[in-house]
RNA sequence: GCCCCUGUAGCUCAGCGGAUAGAGCACCGGCCUCCGGAGCCGGUGGCGCAGGUUCGAGUCCUGCCAGGGGCGCCA
C-alpha cells in the first residue's frame, strides 16, 4: 500500500496542518494556519484572515492563493473559501481510510513516542501519616495517576514521588498518643485503617491536657534531635500509615507503591545544605530570627516584600525548606527535566515562590520546567467546600466501597448473567471507574461538585457508558466467528456514519496531545465520550455483522474493533479498566 | 486592603480570537418481529453586569457584582 506509506502518522490534523503551513510559508514565513475542526467541513483554516489583515490584502483572495499553493489534492476532496476568508477542507475518503488503516495496523494506535523524551518527576497524592485519606485526596491521586500513565505511554521516563506528610510538629502529639495507647493497641487501631479515630483521639487528648501538650513539645525536640527510641515509634506510625495508603491505592487501582514514597522527612539530611547554598549566594536575610529569601514580585498585605521562610526563628525547618530541597534533589540527583506538582490550587503562591527561589539559587535551570498542576476544590452537594475537620468528612475507602456496591446493585437490576467472581471483578471496574471518571472528566481548575447520585449514575458522560460501548463491541466479536479483523483490511469510508466514526477515530492523537499539553485529563475524557457516542450512533444505524457484502462487513468490523481498542487504551491511560462483558 | 481562581441552559459540564455557543441530566415526543434499550432519533432552553481592543469576543483588556482561595515562622 504505497498510499499508506505516504502518511506515516495517523494524525490527520497534523498532516493537514503541515500541508497548509508549507503553503502559508511561501507567502509569509511562520504563519499559523489556525486549523480547527469545523461544523461545515472536516476542518477549517482561519489563518488567512489574520494574515490578510497584516498584509493589507483581501482575505478571500489571499485564501484562494493559499489553496492554489497548497498540495492538498491527495488528502482533500473539497477545499473552498467560505465567508470572509475561511478555508474549508473536506478530507478525501481515500485519505481517511488509509489513515485509519495505519492506525489499525499499529500497536500504539498511531501514537508516536515523543521525539524528545524527557525525565519527568511527578509529585502527587501526598496523604498525611496518621490521617485518613478523604475525598480531597481523590483528585490529586487520580489526576496524577492519569498523567503518569499517559506521559509514560508518550515515551517519557516518569518518576513518581509520593510526598507524604511524615514530619512536623503534629508528630510530637501523635507519638505521645501512641505511647499512651500502648504500642500494640495503637498498631492494632492503625492496621485496621482507623486513622481517623487515632488522629481525632490524639487531638482531643492534646487539646484537653496541658501536660500532654508539654510532652508533645518535648517529643518533637527528641524526634528532630534523632532520638533513637522516638524515631522507632515514629517509624511505626509511618509504616502502619503507608501500609494503609497502599490498601487504598490498591482499591483505587493507581500505580503508587512503597518505592514511590519520598516523604518530607527524606529531605531532612539536605536541609542544612539548602541553607548553606542560599547563604553562599547571598540570598538569605535574617528577619526576626528567621532565615528568609525575598523573591522579587511577592508582597504581603501591607505591600511589603513577602519572604519565603527557609528556617524558622526556633531553628526548625518549614515546608518551604523541604520543597526547596526536593527541587534541588530532583534536578541535581535525579536529573529531572520537568517536575510536575499535582497539588491543590491554594498552594499556587507557595509554589510560585519556591520555584522563584529555586531559580535564583540556580537549582532550577531555565531549561528545566517546574509546573504546578493545580486542581480546584472538592465541593459537597451543597456547594460548600468539604473540609477535613468539619466532622462530616467522607473517608475515601468508604466512598470506593460504596461505589462498588452501587455498581453491583445496578448489575443486579440489569440481571447481568456472569459468574460470581467475574461479577465482582466487573463491579469493581465499573464502580471505581465511575468515581475516577467523574473526577477526571471535569476541568481540574474548576471546583468539582461531589455528588453521589451523579457520580454513580450510569448514563451520560460517565465511565460506564464508555465501558458499555466497549463491551458491546467485544460482544460483536464473540457473536461472530472472528477474533480479530485482518490487519491488512483497508476500510471503505462511504456511508456518513462510517465516515463520522473514522474521523472520530483519527481524533485520538490530537486528543492525547491536548491532554499532555495542558495536563488536563478532561480533554481525553471529552474525546473518548465523543468517540463512544459516535460509535453508538454508527452501530445503531449501520449493520455490521449483517452488512450487505463481505468487504463492507470487514471494513465495519475493523472500525468497530479499532473503536474498542481506542476506548480500552484511552481509559487505561486514565487508570480505568474495561470489562469484556458487563 | 492586595493578589489568584471561578462565573456559559433549571442542574452538571464542553467550548484551542472565528461562521448559527455544544453535550449530558431533567422535561416533552418518537424508536423494542432489528448485531447488547446502561441505547438510538428529534424537541424546549443559556454566555454575571458595563465599557473597550479587533474585520470578528463566551474567549483578550479595564471596571463592577457574586462565590471560593491565598497574603512571614502549620503543611
Amino acid at each position: 500500500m504505497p498510499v499508506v506509506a505516504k502518511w506515516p502518522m495517523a494524525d490527520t490534523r497534523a498532516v493537514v496542518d503541515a500541508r497548509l503551513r508549507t503553503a502559508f510559508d511561501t507567502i509569509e514565513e511562520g504563519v499559523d494556519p489556525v486549523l480547527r475542526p469545523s461544523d461545515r467541513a472536516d476542518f477549517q483554516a482561519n489563518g488567512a484572515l489574520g494574515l490578510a489583515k497584516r498584509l493589507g490584502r483581501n482575505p478571500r483572495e489571499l485564501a484562494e492563493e493559499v489553496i492554489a499553493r497548497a498540495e492538498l489534492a491527495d488528502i482533500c476532496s473539497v477545499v473552498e473559501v467560505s465567508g470572509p476568508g475561511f478555508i474549508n477542507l473536506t478530507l478525501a475518503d481515500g485519505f481517511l481510510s488509509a489513515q485509519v488503516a495505519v492506525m489499525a495496523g499499529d500497536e500504539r494506535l498511531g501514537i508516536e513516542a515523543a521525539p524528545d523524551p524527557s525525565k519527568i518527576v511527578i509529585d502527587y497524592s501526598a496523604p498525611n501519616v496518621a490521617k485518613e485519606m478523604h475525598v480531597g485526596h481523590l483528585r490529586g491521586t487520580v489526576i496524577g495517576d492519569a498523567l503518569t500513565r499517559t506521559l509514560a505511554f508518550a515515551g517519557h521516563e516518569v518518576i513518581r514521588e509520593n510526598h507524604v506528610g511524615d514530619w512536623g510538629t503534629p508528630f510530637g502529639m501523635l507519638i505521645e498518643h501512641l505511647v499512651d495507647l500502648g504500642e500494640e493497641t495503637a498498631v492494632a487501631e492503625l492496621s485496621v485503617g482507623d486513622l481517623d479515630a487515632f488522629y481525632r483521639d490524639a487531638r482531643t487528648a492534646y487539646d484537653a491536657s496541658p501536660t500532654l501538650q508539654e510532652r508533645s513539645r518535648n517529643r518533637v525536640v527528641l524526634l528532630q534531635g534523632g532520638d533513637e527510641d522516638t524515631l522507632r515509634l515514629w517509624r511505626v506510625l509511618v509504616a502502619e500509615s503507608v501500609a494503609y495508603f497502599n490498601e487504598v491505592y490498591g482499591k483505587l487501582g493507581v500505580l503508587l507503591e512503597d518505592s514511590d514514597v519520598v516523604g518530607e522527612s527524606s529531605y531532612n539530611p539536605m536541609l542544612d545544605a539548602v541553607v548553606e547554598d542560599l547563604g553562599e549566594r547571598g540570598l538569605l536575610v535574617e528577619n526576626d530570627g528567621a532565615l528568609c529569601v525575598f523573591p522579587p514580585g511577592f508582597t504581603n498585605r501591607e505591600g511589603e516584600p513577602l519572604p519565603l521562610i527557609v528556617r524558622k526563628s526556633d531553628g526548625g525547618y518549614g515546608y518551604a525548606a523541604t520543597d526547596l530541597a526536593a527541587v534541588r534533589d530532583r534536578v541535581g540527583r535525579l536529573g529531572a527535566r520537568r517536575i510536575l506538582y499535582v497539588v491543590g490550587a491554594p498552594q499556587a503562591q507557595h509554589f510560585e515562590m519556591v520555584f522563584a527561589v529555586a531559580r535564583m539559587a540556580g537549582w532550577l535551570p531555565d531549561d528545566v520546567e517546574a509546573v504546578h498542576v493545580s486542581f480546584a476544590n472538592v465541593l459537597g452537594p451543597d456547594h460548600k467546600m468539604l473540609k477535613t475537620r468539619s466532622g462530616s468528612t467522607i473517608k475515601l475507602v468508604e466512598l470506593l466501597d460504596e461505589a462498588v456496591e452501587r455498581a453491583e446493585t445496578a448489575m443486579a437490576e440489569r440481571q447481568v448473567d456472569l459468574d460470581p467472581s467475574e461479577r465482582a471483578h466487573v463491579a469493581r471496574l465499573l464502580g471505581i471507574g465511575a468515581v475516577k471518571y467523574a473526577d477526571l472528566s471535569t476541568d481540574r481548575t474548576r471546583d468539582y461538585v461531589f455528588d453521589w447520585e451523579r457520580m454513580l449514575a450510569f448514563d451520560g458522560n460517565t465511565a460506564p457508558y464508555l465501558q458499555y460501548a466497549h463491551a458491546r463491541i467485544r460482544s460483536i466479536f464473540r457473536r461472530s466467528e472472528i477474533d480479530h479483523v485482518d490487519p491488512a483490511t483497508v476500510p471503505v469510508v462511504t456511508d456518513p456514519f462510517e465516515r463520522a466514526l473514522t474521523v472520530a477515530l483519527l481524533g485520538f492523537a490530537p486528543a492525547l496531545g491536548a491532554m499532555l499539553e495542558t495536563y488536563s485529563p478532561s480533554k481525553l475524557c471529552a474525546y473518548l465520550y465523543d468517540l463512544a457516542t459516535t460509535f453508538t450512533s454508527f452501530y445503531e444505524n449501520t449493520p455490521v455483522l449483517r452488512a450487505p457484502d463481505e468487504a463492507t462487513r470487514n471494513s465495519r468490523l475493523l472500525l468497530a474493533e479499532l473503536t474498542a481498542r481506542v476506548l480500552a487504551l484511552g481509559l487505561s491511560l486514565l487508570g480505568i479498566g474495561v470489562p469484556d462483558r458487563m
Side-chain angles (χ1 to χ4, degrees):
Chain A
M1 270 286 166
V3 85
V4 172
K6 264 168 85 178
W7 309 293
M9 293 182 294
D11 187 340
T12 314
R13 181 167 163 177
V15 173
V16 177
D17 187 88
R19 296 290 182 88
L20 285 170
R21 221 166 264 272
T22 306
F24 273 103
D25 275 346
T26 65
I27 297 166
E28 187 181 293
E29 198 77 17
V31 179
D32 182 358
V34 194
L35 191 68
R36 302 278 184 267
S38 177
D39 299 334
R40 312 180 175 211
D42 292 317
F43 291 108
Q44 62 182 65
N46 309 329
L49 286 159
L51 182 60
K53 180 71 180 173
R54 271 209 312 287
L55 300 178
R57 294 188 46 186
N58 177 303
R60 284 192 63 104
E61 280 174 19
L62 183 66
E64 292 289 1
E65 190 180 333
V66 171
I67 292 174
R69 293 183 183 215
E71 260 193 66
L72 296 166
D74 57 333
I75 60 174
C76 292
S77 55
V78 182
V79 182
E80 57 190 3
V81 175
S82 166
F86 302 110
I87 301 172
N88 287 350
L89 303 112
T90 302
L91 300 172
D93 293 344
F95 176 54
L96 289 174
S97 68
Q99 285 285 88
V100 92
V102 169
M103 195 175 167
D106 180 10
E107 278 189 13
R108 293 175 57 86
L109 301 182
I111 308 301
E112 293 180 341
D116 54 339
S118 56
K119 193 179 268 192
I120 302 172
V121 167
I122 178 164
D123 178 331
Y124 69 105
S125 195
N128 292 310
V129 162
K131 270 179 131 174
E132 193 64 52
M133 289 187 76
H134 54 91
V135 286
H137 293 105
L138 185 65
R139 282 207 107 168
T141 305
V142 166
I143 292 169
D145 188 61
L147 292 175
T148 299
R149 292 171 192 265
T150 309
L151 287 165
F153 180 75
H156 299 288
E157 183 184 343
V158 185
I159 301 170
R160 301 182 294 264
E161 290 208 340
N162 191 356
H163 197 76
V164 303
D166 64 357
W167 203 252
T169 43
F171 281 88
M173 172 188 91
L174 292 166
I175 291 171
E176 286 307 323
H177 183 60
L178 177 82
V179 169
D180 286 349
L181 271 182
E183 210 173 310
E184 280 178 32
T185 314
V187 167
E189 190 169 316
L190 291 168
S191 64
V192 296
D194 206 353
L195 274 63
D196 243 6
F198 183 87
Y199 192 93
R200 192 180 53 240
D201 293 350
R203 168 66 61 182
T204 306
Y206 177 90
D207 288 341
S209 162
T211 320
L212 186 54
Q213 289 165 26
E214 178 64 23
R215 277 168 53 201
S216 299
R217 275 192 293 275
N218 293 335
R219 187 59 86 172
V220 172
V221 175
L222 285 172
L223 180 66
Q224 288 169 343
D227 173 67
E228 204 37 62
D229 193 49
T230 301
L231 279 174
R232 194 186 60 75
L233 295 168
W234 169 77
R235 284 192 203 100
V236 169
L237 282 178
V238 173
E240 292 301 323
S241 300
V242 168
Y244 174 70
F245 299 153
N246 284 339
E247 266 180 56
V248 179
Y249 293 148
K251 259 182 202 190
L252 196 52
V254 295
L255 299 170
L256 289 168
E257 51 191 62
D258 271 2
S259 56
D260 301 323
V261 172
V262 186
E264 290 164 356
S265 65
S266 25
Y267 298 100
N268 287 347
M270 310 174 202
L271 299 178
D272 289 337
V274 164
V275 170
E276 273 173 38
D277 262 24
L278 291 171
E280 279 171 17
R281 286 167 202 269
L283 297 173
L284 285 179
V285 177
E286 191 173 329
N287 220 298
D288 298 331
L291 295 179
C292 309
V293 182
F294 290 88
F298 296 90
T299 53
N300 67 9
R301 61 184 86 213
E302 277 79 38
E304 298 154 354
L306 185 67
L308 188 69
I309 295 174
V310 180
R311 201 177 72 191
K312 300 186 283 183
S313 53
D314 66 0
Y317 292 106
Y319 76 136
T322 312
D323 282 339
L324 286 171
V327 173
R328 196 165 167 270
D329 185 56
R330 288 163 181 178
V331 178
R333 183 177 64 85
L334 293 172
R337 307 309 293 167
R338 221 192 294 182
I339 313 176
L340 306 180
Y341 292 83
V342 186
V343 179
Q347 304 225 35
Q349 185 179 257
H350 167 70
F351 280 115
E352 277 177 41
M353 293 181 77
V354 168
F355 298 160
V357 171
R359 296 227 185 260
M360 290 163 77
W363 300 326
L364 197 57
D366 289 342
D367 60 346
V368 176
E369 210 183 338
V371 184
H372 176 206
V373 182
S374 73
F375 54 88
N377 304 310
V378 179
L379 305 180
D382 57 354
H383 288 214
K384 303 262 186 192
M385 207 170 118
L386 282 169
K387 283 209 164 184
T388 320
R389 297 182 199 84
S390 59
S392 57
T393 309
I394 304 161
K395 290 171 75 167
L396 188 48
V397 266
E398 286 172 5
L399 169 85
L400 299 177
D401 288 343
E402 183 158 354
V404 175
E405 279 166 32
R406 289 193 183 221
E408 276 165 358
T409 306
M411 287 171 70
E413 281 168 4
R414 315 268 163 200
Q415 299 179 321
V416 176
D417 182 29
L418 295 174
D419 69 67
S421 77
E422 187 177 357
R423 188 190 192 84
H425 174 68
V426 171
R428 224 187 127 256
L429 292 181
L430 294 182
I432 301 297
V435 170
K436 285 180 162 183
Y437 190 86
D439 201 320
L440 291 169
S441 59
T442 299
D443 184 310
R444 60 178 169 79
T445 63
R446 281 176 65 130
D447 284 347
Y448 166 53
V449 177
F450 176 84
D451 184 316
W452 286 95
E453 293 305 318
R454 189 167 289 114
M455 169 182 292
L456 297 164
F458 286 71
D459 31 24
N461 185 9
T462 64
Y465 177 86
L466 301 182
Q467 290 164 323
Y468 179 62
H470 173 268
R472 283 176 92 179
I473 298 171
R474 296 313 313 156
S475 149
I476 300 172
F477 286 89
R478 267 197 306 279
R479 181 174 295 270
S480 69
E481 303 296 305
I482 29 180
D483 283 345
H484 295 288
V485 184
D486 180 356
T489 304
V490 176
V492 286
V493 179
T494 45
D495 176 281
F497 290 102
E498 291 172 340
R499 199 176 189 287
L501 181 55
T502 302
V503 170
L505 285 165
L506 293 172
F508 185 48
L512 267 189
M515 167 175 166
L516 289 182
E517 221 168 273
T518 55
Y519 305 110
S520 303
S522 64
K523 308 231 183 217
L524 181 56
C525 293
Y527 165 75
L528 292 174
Y529 180 62
D530 177 64
L531 176 64
T533 54
T534 305
F535 171 78
T536 318
S537 180
F538 160 85
Y539 191 49
E540 295 281 337
N541 293 289
T542 316
V544 174
L545 291 177
R546 293 179 205 145
D549 57 78
E550 192 65 18
T552 307
R553 182 170 181 245
N554 280 337
S555 168
R556 289 177 181 170
L557 279 170
L558 179 94
L559 294 179
E561 186 180 32
L562 186 53
T563 302
R565 288 167 66 199
V566 173
L567 288 174
L569 176 59
L571 285 171
S572 82
L573 294 178
L574 296 171
I576 297 170
V578 284
D580 263 16
R581 272 184 279 237
M582 56 187 278

